[in-house]
Amino acid sequence: MANTISFGSWQGNLGKGLAERELTCLLAVAAGHTDKEIAQFDGLSPRSIKGRIEAAMHKLGVYKRPALVAEAMRRGLISPLVLTLCAILIGHSISSTDEFTRVRRPGERKVAETRTYRRHECALAVA
């Protein structure tokens, strides 16, 4: 059994109080799906999906769907994959030595400006 579950553009972490099916339904709710759509995806009845969502609400102590998603995000149970991707890209840009992807700090030598200046010097020397 994996520690993370993905549904659409959302990712959830198991082992923090919710069962796997409850977390899957929670991720689908966060993605904006209705009970009927989730039931068609899982091959279950809409009533059983509603029961799983209500069980997740009870475990997190909330009673409305928007509050369920907000509380799950606050507790770190779910997160949008966009945030994960942004964190990976930021980490790569900080640790990279590549001039095009690295974040430059003030006062660092900028290679592009140096090259442009040298081309200008060469043009003046030829003329």
Side-chain angles (χ1 to χ4, degrees), residues 5-97:
I5 296 176
S6 296
F7 188 94
S9 62
W10 288 84
Q11 180 178 6
N13 299 318
L14 284 173
K16 293 188 177 181
L18 293 181
E20 185 176 352
R21 291 282 179 124
E22 293 168 350
L23 183 60
T24 303
C25 292
L26 172 60
L27 292 170
V29 168
H33 295 285
T34 63
D35 290 348
K36 204 180 248 188
E37 293 170 342
I38 301 167
Q40 287 174 350
F41 178 76
D42 286 344
L44 302 169
S45 73
R47 179 66 190 133
S48 64
I49 298 298
K50 185 175 182 181
R52 290 196 173 105
I53 293 170
E54 287 174 354
M57 286 180 184
H58 179 72
K59 286 180 181 180
L60 297 181
V62 294
Y63 301 101
K64 296 192 182 230
R65 288 176 184 233
L68 174 66
V69 174
E71 183 66 20
M73 286 181 72
R74 189 186 71 75
R75 292 186 185 193
L77 293 171
I78 64 172
S79 64
L81 284 176
V82 173
L83 293 179
T84 307
L85 179 63
C86 288
I88 290 170
L89 290 175
I90 289 170
H92 173 71
S93 68
I94 290 172
S95 65
S96 177
T97 58

